[in-house]
Amino acid sequence: MNGLTRVLSRGALLLTATLVFACGQKPTEIRLKSTKLKVYGLGRVVSVGGDVVDKKGEIVPGKGVSWESSNPKVATVDGQTGSVKTVGEGKARITARLGDPPLEATVAIEVLDIGLVNVFPSRTTLAGPAGSTFPLTLEVKKGTGEVVPTKAEWTSSAPTVATVDASGVVTSVGEGRASVKAAVGDVSGAADIVVVLRSIETLEASPLNIPLKVGELGKVELVARDPRGSAIPDVAATWTSSDPMVATCSGGTVLAIGPGSVTIRATCGTKSAEVSVIVF
């Protein structure tokens, strides 16, 4: 027997053994990557692929499945690949089927329209002794721009600088910089937090008088200084209005709501500054 004959003989034996093994495997289950799936956002594409396996859990080769969605208005699925595309909010069942033998498996999918997560202010400096706190504001929107009243998971990139609780309240720990992130599923937004362990000696707001027409916006500039007179840029401040029916203020931006006069106050720790707003 020459070398070529021996190679062919070994190849034939290997092929025969493979075929015998494959023919001996009987599909007993469609094993999915996951049986539950929550997707945040419309137009997202995710895979819910799976394998046909035997009773030992080994993949049976050559056994493909077909895919079907119970609610194409929520999610569509590629019949051959199992690739799912989200279409609208709601729930759907994605089913994988095998014809011979007849097997099926289902993925329960929930789609939430989360298009954008914002954290305000996006950049701020938390001044004062360690343990000073400041609440961040969360804004979650659908793809249409509609605001969604929902909660987020808050995390800090540097807990030795600043921590954050489940409500978005930041607490200073040590000097430095941290990114505080709010996540709704895998959609997130973040704020850049700078911590300086310096007290605020003075706080000034300007201009002192702001005339606005209903619907107009005005801007209050805030300057904080430490005991040495050095400015603390982007200082974290809490803004309040003496009459929200006349005007509101967020991050120093005043929105005129209705005719009247109102006092806008910025507070940083024990210091505060005020401006007067007249809406006509």
Side-chain angles (χ1 to χ4, degrees):
M1 183 182 291
N2 60 35
L4 178 59
T5 304
R6 285 197 298 270
V7 171
L8 291 175
S9 297
R10 289 175 183 173
L13 287 171
L14 181 59
L15 177 59
T16 301
T18 301
L19 290 173
V20 169
F21 176 73
C23 292
Q25 286 184 288
K26 293 183 179 180
T28 59
E29 179 190 0
I30 300 175
R31 185 175 58 195
L32 301 173
K33 292 180 180 179
S34 176
T35 57
K36 289 184 179 180
L37 194 61
K38 185 177 286 188
V39 185
Y40 297 84
L42 306 186
R44 303 286 298 273
V45 177
V46 295
S47 174
V48 292
D51 299 307
V52 178
V53 299
D54 62 15
K55 62 181 180 181
K56 295 182 180 180
E58 296 176 343
I59 296 174
V60 180
K63 290 290 185 180
V65 298
S66 62
W67 298 87
E68 182 179 298
S69 171
S70 67
N71 192 349
K73 291 184 179 181
V74 172
T76 60
V77 62
D78 186 297
Q80 294 182 331
T81 66
S83 178
V84 174
K85 184 175 182 179
T86 59
V87 179
E89 279 195 303
K91 296 180 179 181
R93 299 179 72 83
I94 305 298
T95 302
R97 289 190 176 91
L98 179 67
D100 182 25
L103 297 172
E104 70 174 44
T106 302
V107 180
I109 184 170
E110 182 180 1
V111 178
L112 294 91
D113 185 1
I114 303 295
L116 186 66
V117 174
N118 288 320
V119 178
F120 299 111
S122 61
R123 184 180 68 252
T124 194
T125 299
L126 185 51
S132 298
T133 61
F134 180 70
L136 295 173
T137 300
L138 174 70
E139 181 185 68
V140 181
K141 291 184 177 182
K142 294 184 177 182
T144 58
E146 179 185 349
V147 175
V148 182
T150 189
K151 294 182 178 180
E153 181 180 351
W154 294 86
T155 55
S156 169
S157 66
T160 57
V161 173
T163 60
V164 62
D165 68 12
S167 300
V169 177
V170 177
T171 301
S172 64
V173 179
E175 289 202 337
R177 185 184 299 270
S179 177
V180 173
K181 183 172 74 171
V184 180
D186 58 356
V187 184
S188 63
D192 186 28
I193 306 296
V194 175
V195 174
V196 293
L197 301 183
R198 289 183 281 158
S199 62
I200 298 174
E201 183 68 20
T202 61
L203 189 66
E204 297 178 356
S206 63
L208 294 178
N209 297 286
I210 304 175
L212 293 173
K213 294 180 180 179
V214 173
E216 284 186 337
L217 296 174
K219 183 65 177 177
V220 180
E221 298 295 335
L222 195 63
V223 177
R225 298 186 183 277
D226 65 15
R228 293 183 177 183
S230 299
I232 302 174
D234 302 316
V235 69
T238 301
W239 298 85
T240 57
S241 168
S242 63
D243 190 347
M245 298 299 292
V246 175
T248 60
C249 186
S250 176
T253 299
V254 180
L255 173 61
I257 305 295
S261 59
V262 64
T263 298
I264 300 297
R265 173 178 292 178
T267 303
C268 299
T270 59
K271 303 296 182 179
S272 63
E274 297 179 350
V275 300
S276 296
V277 177
I278 298 176
V279 181
F280 55 93

